[in-house]
Amino acid sequence: MRILLRGKKHDYDPDYLLAAYIDFRSVLLGVSDGDMHYKDKFRTLKSTYEILDLRVQSTQFINERGSHTQTYASLALKQMLVELELLEKQLQYPTLFPATKVAGTRRESPLYWNTEKHSKTALISLLTALDAVGACTDSKGNRSPFISIVQEFEHLFNTTIPNAYARRDELLGRGESRVRFIRELLRSLGAE
């Protein structure tokens, strides 16, 4: 969404767009399959679709962006339509969508991010480093989307990281200061 709504006025690398699309799809499915009330799900998806559709159909967008960005924007719109149709079917035919039995509730994490000693920017720094080296994968060995890494660490450390993508991009644009926390970690482990 960030790329499509506020992105640069050029085409992006297809691999970058694919990674962004995978993150987008992960968030989209999280909303669609999540525990949110049906009305809230539908409103969220429909309003996001309308904003995205308006932007992608604009002459300015078509003139500013290359074919790769337009292709992934079209793909994102189609994926949103699929999820909206599923939500409509769920309302019309609830027996086709039985509630899934929860295998077990996720236990609360006993860990907390120490905000007195380390900022959330430090946590984003750590997550950005893990993402950059591909340290986190799914059960099939595929690289985990950045948003999945963020969500897991939010749960692990009982914290929230609002605007994770924007904060990561800001951090990556800072140059030398972006590695300060990582260097502190390395020093504490005895590595220089």
Side-chain angles (χ1 to χ4, degrees):
M1 290 297 292
R2 179 184 45 77
I3 290 170
L4 299 179
L5 296 177
R6 297 188 309 263
K8 299 174 185 174
K9 296 182 180 181
H10 65 77
D11 210 0
Y12 286 85
D13 175 69
D15 291 336
Y16 180 77
L17 288 169
L18 177 60
Y21 172 74
I22 290 169
D23 288 349
F24 167 79
R25 189 173 183 276
S26 175
V27 172
L28 178 66
L29 295 178
V31 170
S32 187
D33 296 338
D35 295 332
M36 192 184 302
H37 188 274
Y38 176 85
K39 286 190 303 186
D40 295 328
K41 285 183 191 182
F42 192 82
R43 282 181 184 140
T44 300
L45 293 181
K46 187 68 172 169
S47 62
T48 305
Y49 174 83
E50 294 298 333
I51 290 167
L52 187 57
D53 187 44
L54 228 128
R55 176 72 175 129
V56 170
Q57 301 303 326
S58 74
T59 306
Q60 179 185 3
F61 183 83
I62 293 167
N63 292 335
E64 288 178 353
R65 306 306 170 92
S67 61
H68 297 305
T69 303
Q70 290 175 13
T71 299
Y72 279 98
S74 177
L75 188 59
L77 283 169
K78 288 176 182 172
Q79 184 66 47
M80 291 191 78
L81 281 176
V82 167
E83 296 306 316
L84 285 166
E85 287 176 20
L86 277 173
L87 285 174
E88 287 176 8
K89 298 274 190 236
Q90 185 179 0
L91 186 61
Q92 293 170 350
Y93 309 103
T95 56
L96 295 176
F97 300 89
T100 54
K101 188 175 182 181
V102 179
T105 56
R106 192 172 186 181
R107 78 176 180 93
E108 190 173 318
S109 173
L111 303 175
Y112 289 84
W113 186 254
N114 186 347
T115 54
E116 291 179 18
K117 283 188 156 189
H118 304 287
S119 68
K120 287 189 180 179
T121 301
L123 181 55
I124 285 286
S125 190
L126 175 63
L127 301 183
T128 300
L130 289 172
D131 181 52
V133 298
C136 301
T137 63
D138 64 16
S139 61
K140 295 177 184 174
N142 299 319
R143 190 177 185 150
S144 294
F146 182 67
I147 194 65
S148 297
I149 298 168
V150 169
Q151 289 168 344
E152 288 302 314
F153 273 81
E154 284 178 326
H155 175 75
L156 177 66
F157 290 122
N158 288 294
T159 191
T160 58
I161 306 171
N163 304 316
Y165 280 103
R167 294 177 81 172
R168 177 187 69 175
D169 290 349
E170 179 185 324
L171 182 73
L172 289 172
R174 287 187 190 171
E176 186 61 27
S177 65
R178 70 181 175 196
V179 294
R180 189 182 67 205
F181 181 70
I182 302 300
R183 284 195 179 140
E184 289 176 28
L185 285 175
L186 289 172
R187 251 186 257 115
S188 70
L189 295 170
E192 292 290 331

